[in-house]
Amino acid sequence: MEKPKLPVKEFLAHLRRQAVSEIISDECLAALSNVEAQYGNEFTTVSGYEVRLGNPARYVDYILTAEENIPFVDFSWVEIDYEQFAADKKIEPCFFINVTPKDGDYTEFWDKVLPIFMGEQRARKLRAPLDNLTANLPKGAGIKQIGTMTGRGEPDIMRLILMLRKWEDICLTLEKIGWRGNIKSLWAAIEPWNESFGVALNFDLSEKGVHDKIGFELFPRWRHPLLVDRFIARLERSGLCLKSKGDALRRWIRILPDADPFIQTDIHYFKLNYLDGKIIEAKAYIEQTPHLIHHYFSNYYRPLYVEFMLKDEKNTLPIGTAMKYLYDCEDNKIRRVNFSGDVGNYEHFDRLLTECKEAGIIATVELSGKVTRKQLKDMIAAGASEFIADIENSALKTLQELNFANVRAKWFPDGENFRDLEQITKLAESLDVKELIITGMKPHDVKKSVPSREALEQTANFINAYEKNPAQMKLSVEPCFSVLKAFMGGEDPKKNPNRGINRGCTAGRNHFFITATGKFSPCSFIPDDVATSIADYWEKSPTLKNFRALEENHKELCMDCSYKRRCLPCPALKFQTCPLARNNFTLYNVKKF
């Protein structure tokens, strides 16, 4: 699977919004504009920062992944030393590459890579000590990365990072590669810090061999912020981390992810440096990443999308109000909006779609009821990006005839028609929709019968089998159908992938609703609120705060259910009969909004 990437400028813009002054001073933050000028449009899988935890100076070294045209190398890093930049006023980075020898043979790798990566002269100087080191690596130890330290004024030194299988391999490895320090003193200093599945050794190599200073990269077992807090507290008690920087790290790992583009903050690893019998400093390598690293956040920093209800049975959203909040979406960098509610008969719909097109906002149109061919053509011409409709809506056939490809369909099954999924899937394929979404019961569907456990099992088996076959259409389960999503993940909560925001109702967590009266609400089934702006509502609404606190909308009878941690039923349903429960009991919504 290809790793997601973003331009460097997106990460730096996110950093400026979420700046932590105890770690990065205004001066250091301003200096990053030089990085942006040089690398801003380059795509990277991570934007990282090296933080010296015991140093009161508030600056970081900047790290990003890059692509280099070097044989055998598919992954490389660039590290920019802030102190060197501050002195020279120019960017001269250190370079690191991942080491991937063919069939474990370092000889050919060094022959092909070293002259290109380090230059002919340095390659000749370092080849002999490097060959000696690789020949003496113990079983299970391997070179993860090598680096040039030119950017730090050390042109004749190579940085090496060795990966070890377990903490206990450290001493044997150092003895084998010719480290001249005192092994017993080292072990006494580092043994209490074992927090890792594995460990990486950092050290410098020159013509004279392995240098005395050793670094230990600690890769934690944990992701939950409370567990990371414990390790930060240990560093503080040991005098290796200033309280101000420890507090900044605690805030950093709790920064809510941006929704679009997705950017999450994380501590990739901690590093302890050892010299002359003691740990002399600690560093944290913090990062911004477009990967989902952990699920311990209740909502996004800003919404992924906003849903506009243009018309309901009684009200019509005034065009002035709709435009105001559409501009508000632009200001808050919200890149998606959904329009629903008799959109074909909304008088000024073309204005909203045109504004979305000009602003680069993806406009999804949810179709309900009858929509004419002319109305669909007008929506497409005005800038509709995507359509969603019930699988039985005739508009799907019309969109197919109009050769509009970006179409999704929804199917609302109940206990009586779950067996029809195969037929419904074939219908969706015949209509050329790109995705068929199986969605759960809504509050207005309470009279429908609840699917049985057998029906869930049949549905899950069909979806799993369908996904194994190459098909253009995607078959998915909507997050609000939490029971089916949880069931498909299996009974083992440690292996069930249905977690985080998407494990159940996402209202108020990744999106919210603007009603036809111009008020705000988590979804159309929850009473609405008045707010002055999107930011004001998303950050301060008591309704949203209570809504996000509903981590379990369960009665006590759910306590013994193996799916409890991976299931988040609809908070708007007052009564819910759960097909996963042993006695098919009724769930009661205990929260009021």
Side-chain angles (χ1 to χ4, degrees), residues 354-408:
T354 300
E355 178 60 32
C356 288
K357 186 176 182 179
E358 293 176 351
I361 294 175
I362 297 171
T364 298
V365 181
E366 296 197 26
L367 303 172
S368 59
K370 186 174 178 57
V371 185
T372 68
R373 186 184 188 90
K374 181 181 183 306
Q375 288 172 334
L376 289 173
K377 290 180 72 174
D378 289 345
M379 292 178 200
I380 294 170
S385 308
E386 178 186 54
F387 289 95
I388 301 178
D390 185 90
I391 187 63
E392 297 178 350
N393 194 312
S394 61
L396 293 177
K397 183 63 176 175
T398 305
L399 288 167
Q400 184 186 37
E401 294 169 354
L402 293 172
N403 294 316
F404 190 88
N406 201 10
V407 179
R408 295 189 289 160

Side-chain angles (χ1 to χ4, degrees), residues 124 131 145 171 197 221 237 255-256 294 342 359 381 397 416 444 477 489:
R124 284 195 299 270
D131 283 341
Q145 293 171 343
C171 294
F197 283 124
R221 299 184 173 93
R237 289 195 300 270
I255 290 174
L256 295 175
H294 59 75
D342 196 15
K397 183 63 176 175
E416 301 298 323
H444 54 62
V477 180

Side-chain angles (χ1 to χ4, degrees), residues 79-81 84-85 88 90-95 150-152:
E79 182 172 335
I80 299 167
D81 186 274
Q84 198 70 31
F85 169 78
D88 299 340
K90 64 179 181 179
I91 294 175
E92 188 171 356
C94 300
F95 292 99
T150 308
R152 293 187 176 179

Side-chain angles (χ1 to χ4, degrees), residues 411-419 439-459 480-484 487 567 569-570 573-587:
W411 181 50
F412 299 82
D414 61 26
E416 301 298 323
N417 66 355
F418 258 76
R419 67 178 74 89
T439 189
M441 289 195 303
K442 308 296 183 184
H444 54 62
D445 296 325
V446 290
K447 293 183 180 180
K448 289 185 177 182
S449 59
V450 175
S452 65
R453 190 184 184 100
E454 291 73 22
L456 290 184
E457 186 170 2
Q458 291 173 8
T459 303
C480 70
F481 203 168
S482 182
V483 170
L484 178 56
F487 181 80
C567 185
C570 173
L573 279 172
K574 186 174 182 181
F575 302 101
Q576 303 175 64
T577 302
C578 178
L580 299 180
R582 295 172 184 171
N583 300 315
N584 212 37
F585 58 81
T586 299
L587 303 177

Side-chain angles (χ1 to χ4, degrees), residues 210-223:
V210 178
H211 287 210
D212 292 341
K213 183 180 175 182
I214 303 291
F216 303 90
E217 295 180 5
L218 307 181
F219 298 90
R221 299 184 173 93
W222 22 258
R223 289 292 179 193

Side-chain angles (χ1 to χ4, degrees), residues 177-191:
I177 65 175
W179 183 67
R180 297 182 294 269
N182 186 300
I183 292 293
K184 289 185 179 180
S185 297
L186 176 136
W187 183 250
I190 68 170
E191 196 274 335

